[in-house]
Amino acid sequence: MNDFPICPQCTGENAYFDGNMHVCPDCSHEWNEEERQAENEQNTPRDSNGTELQDGDSVIVIKTLDVKGSTMVIKRGTKVKNIRLTDNPGEVDCKVEGSSIVLKTCFLKKG
């Protein structure tokens, strides 16, 4: 039995392999599975060490950060619990000292 992928556009199950591309006869969408997987890898939120981040993870701030528009300072080593992923893979939404803020993932490590 062949394991053909589901169409990423219409979720149709009739996709087939045609040369170097997958084709969906239901919606006429064509894609290269290797390129699609590489794109998904780039869109995965990762911390400063390259570890994948998920909703609800706890992270540690690796650099003292001044919060723009505020006198608040987030010190290095601060543990932030229960992060929420955003549409941007380079940012996470979280609460620090009761304030809801967005932090860049390059300043975080999973902890």
Side-chain angles (χ1 to χ4, degrees), residues 41 44-53 58-63 76 104-111:
E41 276 291 316
T44 303
R46 298 190 180 276
D47 69 1
S48 61
N49 296 327
T51 306
E52 188 174 329
L53 296 173
S58 293
V59 294
I60 298 171
V61 179
I62 63 169
K63 179 182 175 185
R76 178 178 179 228
K104 292 191 176 223
T105 57
C106 62
F107 299 122
L108 306 174
K109 72 175 181 177
K110 195 167 182 177

Side-chain angles (χ1 to χ4, degrees), residues 61 63-67 72-78 80 94 96-97 101 103:
V61 179
K63 179 182 175 185
T64 300
L65 303 171
D66 295 323
V67 179
M72 181 179 182
V73 176
I74 302 172
K75 296 194 183 237
R76 178 178 179 228
T78 301
V80 180
C94 58
V96 177
E97 298 175 13
I101 61 172
L103 295 176

Side-chain angles (χ1 to χ4, degrees), residues 25-92:
D26 298 331
C27 68
S28 301
H29 179 65
E30 297 180 1
W31 73 98
N32 183 316
E33 191 65 26
E34 291 173 0
E35 289 176 7
R36 195 174 132 252
Q37 288 177 352
E39 184 178 301
N40 285 342
E41 276 291 316
Q42 292 175 345
N43 291 335
T44 303
R46 298 190 180 276
D47 69 1
S48 61
N49 296 327
T51 306
E52 188 174 329
L53 296 173
Q54 297 178 345
D55 277 329
D57 282 347
S58 293
V59 294
I60 298 171
V61 179
I62 63 169
K63 179 182 175 185
T64 300
L65 303 171
D66 295 323
V67 179
K68 289 183 180 180
S70 172
T71 58
M72 181 179 182
V73 176
I74 302 172
K75 296 194 183 237
R76 178 178 179 228
T78 301
K79 188 166 188 171
V80 180
K81 298 179 182 178
N82 198 21
I83 63 168
R84 292 174 304 282
L85 302 181
T86 62
D87 292 335
N88 182 347
E91 299 176 345
V92 294

